[in-house]
C-alpha cells in the first residue's frame, strides 16, 4: 500500500509539470518542429518574432553575421513571462553555424536561474562548432541548461 501511494504521488507530480516552448522560425521549419514538440510534451507554445524581419537576402548578408557575433535584436513584443512553468524549451534555427539572433534575445530575456532545454534546428543537424560559445552565452545570463540537442530539419 505504501509503495502504491508513493507511485501515485510521483505520477501526479510528473503530470502536473508544465512546459513552455519559446521558439523563433524564419522559414516555418522550426515552427513545424516546435508545434510537434509542444504536442509531444503537452507544452504551451510561444512564438517570438524580431521587430524588423530580414529579407531573404538580408538574412544571409546581415542575419548570419549577427548570429555569429551573438547579437541581440529588438523584438516585436517582449518575451512571454514563463516563470510559472517547470521547464522552458528554447528552439531556433541555425544560421552560419550559430542560433539565429532572436535566440539570443530570448535567452537574454529569461530570468536568472531558469532551467532551459535548447533545441537547435539546421539542415545539417549539427551545431557542434558553436556549442561551446552558445553555452557560454547562455551561462552569462545565469540560465541552467538541462539539455542541448541539434535537430536535422526535414
Amino acid at each position: 500500500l505504501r509503495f502504491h501511494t508513493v507511485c501515485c504521488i510521483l505520477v501526479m507530480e510528473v503530470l502536473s509539470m508544465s512546459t513552455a516552448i519559446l521558439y523563433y522560425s524564419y522559414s516555418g521549419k522550426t515552427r513545424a518542429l516546435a508545434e510537434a514538440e509542444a504536442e509531444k510534451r503537452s507544452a504551451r507554445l510561444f512564438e517570438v518574432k524580431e521587430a524588423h524581419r530580414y529579407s531573404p537576402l538580408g538574412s544571409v548578408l546581415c542575419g548570419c553575421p549577427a548570429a555569429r557575433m551573438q547579437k541581440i535584436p529588438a523584438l516585436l513584443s517582449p518575451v512571454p513571462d514563463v516563470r510559472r512553468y517547470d521547464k522552458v524549451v528554447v528552439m531556433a534555427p541555425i544560421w552560419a553555424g550559430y542560433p539565429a539572433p532572436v535566440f539570443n534575445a530570448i535567452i537574454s530575456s529569461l530570468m536568472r536561474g531558469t532551467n532551459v532545454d535548447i533545441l537547435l534546428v539546421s539542415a545539417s543537424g549539427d551545431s557542434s562548432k558553436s556549442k561551446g560559445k552558445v553555452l557560454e552565452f547562455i551561462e552569462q545570463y545565469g540560465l541552467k541548461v538541462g539539455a542541448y540537442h541539434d535537430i536535422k530539419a526535414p
Side-chain angles (χ1 to χ4, degrees):
L1 183 65
R2 186 174 229 194
F3 177 75
H4 176 73
T5 304
V6 170
C7 287
C8 288
I9 290 169
L10 289 174
V11 168
M12 287 172 43
E13 285 180 10
V14 169
L15 291 176
S16 68
M17 288 185 69
S18 59
T19 301
I21 297 178
L22 301 168
Y23 76 94
Y24 167 73
S25 184
Y26 182 82
S27 67
K29 291 177 184 174
T30 303
R31 178 182 298 111
L33 291 166
E35 289 169 350
E37 192 70 25
E39 187 172 324
K40 181 172 80 176
R41 295 180 185 231
S42 298
R44 177 84 191 272
L45 197 58
F46 299 96
E47 183 172 17
V48 180
K49 296 181 179 183
E50 69 271 62
H52 304 285
R53 182 174 165 80
Y54 289 111
S55 68
L57 183 58
S59 69
V60 173
L61 297 179
C62 300
C64 288
R68 292 184 65 81
M69 292 185 287
Q70 296 180 302
K71 297 287 185 181
I72 299 172
L75 298 176
L76 189 60
S77 58
V79 171
D81 181 357
V82 293
R83 288 179 289 182
R84 70 180 187 94
Y85 294 92
D86 299 306
K87 180 170 290 284
V88 176
V89 178
V90 180
M91 296 181 70
I94 293 293
W95 290 4
Y98 282 79
V102 174
F103 171 88
N104 304 322
I106 294 170
I107 294 299
S108 68
S109 298
L110 295 174
M111 180 169 281
R112 294 185 79 75
T114 300
N115 293 309
V116 295
D117 286 354
I118 306 299
L119 302 178
L120 300 175
V121 180
S122 66
S124 69
D126 182 20
S127 68
S128 60
K129 290 181 182 175
S130 65
K131 183 177 181 179
K133 285 195 76 172
V134 172
L135 290 172
E136 283 177 26
F137 182 85
I138 293 167
E139 288 168 6
Q140 88 181 26
Y141 288 96
L143 307 181
K144 299 173 187 165
V145 177
Y148 185 108
H149 297 289
D150 289 310
I151 301 172
K152 187 174 174 77

